[in-house]
Coordinates of all heavy atoms in Angstrom, one line a residue:
P39 N -37.9 -2.6 32.9 CA -37.3 -2.0 34.0 C -38.0 -0.9 34.7 O -37.9 -0.7 35.9 CB -35.9 -1.6 33.5 CG -35.7 -2.4 32.3 CD -37.1 -2.7 31.7
S40 N -38.8 -0.2 33.9 CA -39.5 1.0 34.5 C -40.7 0.6 35.3 O -41.2 1.3 36.2 CB -39.9 2.0 33.4 OG -40.7 1.4 32.4
H41 N -41.3 -0.6 34.9 CA -42.6 -1.0 35.6 C -42.4 -2.1 36.6 O -43.2 -2.3 37.5 CB -43.6 -1.6 34.5 CG -44.1 -0.6 33.5 ND1 -43.6 -0.6 32.3 CD2 -45.0 0.3 33.6 CE1 -44.2 0.4 31.6 NE2 -45.1 0.9 32.4
T42 N -41.4 -3.0 36.4 CA -41.4 -4.3 37.0 C -40.4 -4.4 38.1 O -39.2 -4.2 37.9 CB -41.1 -5.4 36.0 OG1 -42.0 -5.3 34.9 CG2 -41.3 -6.8 36.7
R43 N -40.8 -4.6 39.3 CA -39.9 -4.9 40.5 C -39.6 -6.3 40.6 O -40.5 -7.2 40.6 CB -40.6 -4.3 41.8 CG -40.9 -2.9 41.7 CD -41.8 -2.5 43.0 NE -43.0 -3.4 43.0 CZ -43.7 -3.6 44.1 NH1 -43.3 -3.0 45.3 NH2 -44.7 -4.4 44.1
V44 N -38.3 -6.7 40.7 CA -37.9 -8.1 40.6 C -37.3 -8.5 42.0 O -36.6 -7.7 42.6 CB -36.9 -8.3 39.5 CG1 -36.4 -9.8 39.6 CG2 -37.5 -8.0 38.2
G45 N -37.7 -9.6 42.5 CA -37.1 -10.2 43.7 C -36.3 -11.4 43.3 O -36.6 -12.1 42.3
W46 N -35.2 -11.7 44.1 CA -34.3 -12.8 43.8 C -34.0 -13.5 45.1 O -33.4 -12.9 46.0 CB -33.1 -12.4 43.0 CG -32.4 -13.6 42.4 CD1 -31.7 -14.5 43.0 CD2 -32.6 -14.1 41.0 NE1 -31.3 -15.5 42.1 CE2 -31.9 -15.2 40.9 CE3 -33.3 -13.5 39.9 CZ2 -31.8 -15.9 39.7 CZ3 -33.2 -14.2 38.7 CH2 -32.4 -15.4 38.6
I47 N -34.2 -14.8 45.2 CA -33.9 -15.6 46.4 C -32.9 -16.7 46.0 O -33.3 -17.6 45.2 CB -35.2 -16.2 46.9 CG1 -36.2 -15.2 47.3 CG2 -34.9 -17.1 48.1 CD1 -37.6 -15.7 47.6
G48 N -31.7 -16.6 46.5 CA -30.7 -17.6 46.2 C -29.6 -17.1 45.3 O -29.9 -16.9 44.1
T49 N -28.5 -16.7 45.9 CA -27.4 -16.0 45.1 C -26.1 -16.9 45.1 O -25.1 -16.3 45.4 CB -27.2 -14.6 45.6 OG1 -26.8 -14.7 47.0 CG2 -28.4 -13.8 45.5
G50 N -26.3 -18.2 44.9 CA -25.1 -19.0 44.8 C -24.4 -19.0 43.5 O -24.5 -18.0 42.7
V51 N -23.8 -20.1 43.1 CA -23.0 -20.2 41.9 C -23.8 -19.7 40.7 O -23.3 -18.9 39.8 CB -22.4 -21.6 41.7 CG1 -21.8 -21.7 40.3 CG2 -21.4 -21.9 42.8
M52 N -25.0 -20.2 40.5 CA -25.9 -19.9 39.4 C -26.6 -18.6 39.6 O -26.6 -17.8 38.7 CB -26.8 -21.1 39.1 CG -26.2 -22.4 38.9 SD -25.5 -22.5 37.3 CE -26.9 -22.6 36.2
G53 N -27.3 -18.5 40.7 CA -28.2 -17.4 40.9 C -27.5 -16.0 40.9 O -28.1 -15.1 40.4
R54 N -26.3 -16.0 41.4 CA -25.6 -14.7 41.4 C -25.4 -14.1 40.0 O -25.7 -13.0 39.7 CB -24.2 -14.8 42.1 CG -23.5 -13.5 42.3 CD -22.4 -13.7 43.3 NE -21.4 -14.8 43.0 CZ -21.3 -15.9 43.7 NH1 -22.1 -16.1 44.7 NH2 -20.4 -16.8 43.4
S55 N -25.0 -15.0 39.0 CA -24.8 -14.5 37.7 C -26.1 -14.2 37.0 O -26.3 -13.2 36.3 CB -24.0 -15.6 36.8 OG -22.7 -15.8 37.3
M56 N -27.1 -15.1 37.2 CA -28.4 -14.9 36.6 C -29.1 -13.6 37.0 O -29.6 -12.8 36.2 CB -29.3 -16.1 36.9 CG -28.8 -17.4 36.3 SD -29.5 -18.9 37.1 CE -31.2 -18.8 36.5
C57 N -29.0 -13.3 38.3 CA -29.6 -12.1 38.9 C -28.8 -10.9 38.4 O -29.4 -9.8 38.1 CB -29.6 -12.2 40.4 SG -30.3 -10.7 41.2
G58 N -27.5 -11.1 38.2 CA -26.7 -9.9 37.8 C -27.1 -9.4 36.4 O -27.0 -8.2 36.1
H59 N -27.5 -10.3 35.5 CA -28.0 -9.9 34.2 C -29.2 -9.0 34.3 O -29.3 -8.0 33.5 CB -28.3 -11.1 33.3 CG -27.2 -12.0 33.0 ND1 -26.0 -11.5 32.4 CD2 -27.0 -13.3 33.1 CE1 -25.2 -12.5 32.3 NE2 -25.7 -13.6 32.7
L60 N -30.1 -9.2 35.3 CA -31.3 -8.4 35.4 C -30.9 -7.0 35.9 O -31.5 -6.0 35.5 CB -32.3 -9.1 36.4 CG -32.7 -10.5 36.1 CD1 -33.8 -11.0 37.0 CD2 -33.2 -10.6 34.6
I61 N -30.0 -7.0 36.9 CA -29.5 -5.7 37.4 C -28.9 -4.9 36.3 O -29.1 -3.7 36.1 CB -28.6 -5.9 38.6 CG1 -29.3 -6.6 39.7 CG2 -28.0 -4.6 39.0 CD1 -28.4 -7.0 40.9
K62 N -28.0 -5.5 35.5 CA -27.3 -4.8 34.4 C -28.3 -4.3 33.4 O -28.0 -3.3 32.7 CB -26.3 -5.8 33.7 CG -25.1 -6.1 34.6 CD -24.2 -7.1 33.9 CE -23.1 -7.6 34.8 NZ -22.3 -8.7 34.2
A63 N -29.5 -5.0 33.3 CA -30.5 -4.5 32.3 C -31.3 -3.4 32.8 O -32.2 -2.9 32.1 CB -31.4 -5.7 31.9
G64 N -31.1 -3.0 34.1 CA -31.8 -1.8 34.7 C -32.9 -2.1 35.6 O -33.6 -1.2 36.1
Y65 N -33.2 -3.4 35.9 CA -34.3 -3.8 36.8 C -33.9 -3.5 38.2 O -32.8 -3.6 38.6 CB -34.6 -5.3 36.6 CG -35.4 -5.6 35.4 CD1 -34.7 -6.0 34.2 CD2 -36.8 -5.5 35.3 CE1 -35.4 -6.2 33.0 CE2 -37.5 -5.7 34.1 CZ -36.8 -6.1 33.0 OH -37.4 -6.4 31.8
K66 N -34.9 -3.0 39.0 CA -34.7 -2.8 40.4 C -34.9 -4.1 41.1 O -36.0 -4.7 41.0 CB -35.8 -1.8 40.9 CG -35.6 -0.4 40.4 CD -36.7 0.6 40.9 CE -36.4 2.0 40.4 NZ -36.7 2.1 38.9
V67 N -33.9 -4.6 41.7 CA -33.9 -6.0 42.3 C -33.7 -6.0 43.8 O -32.8 -5.3 44.3 CB -32.8 -6.8 41.6 CG1 -32.8 -8.3 42.2 CG2 -33.0 -6.9 40.1

Side-chain angles (χ1 to χ4, degrees):
S40 58
H41 295 103
T42 310
R43 301 169 305 160
V44 176
W46 197 281
I47 301 167
T49 58
V51 172
M52 300 288 288
R54 188 163 55 247
S55 294
M56 295 160 70
C57 182
H59 294 308
L60 306 186
I61 296 171
K62 290 174 185 175
Y65 286 91
K66 295 180 179 66
V67 179

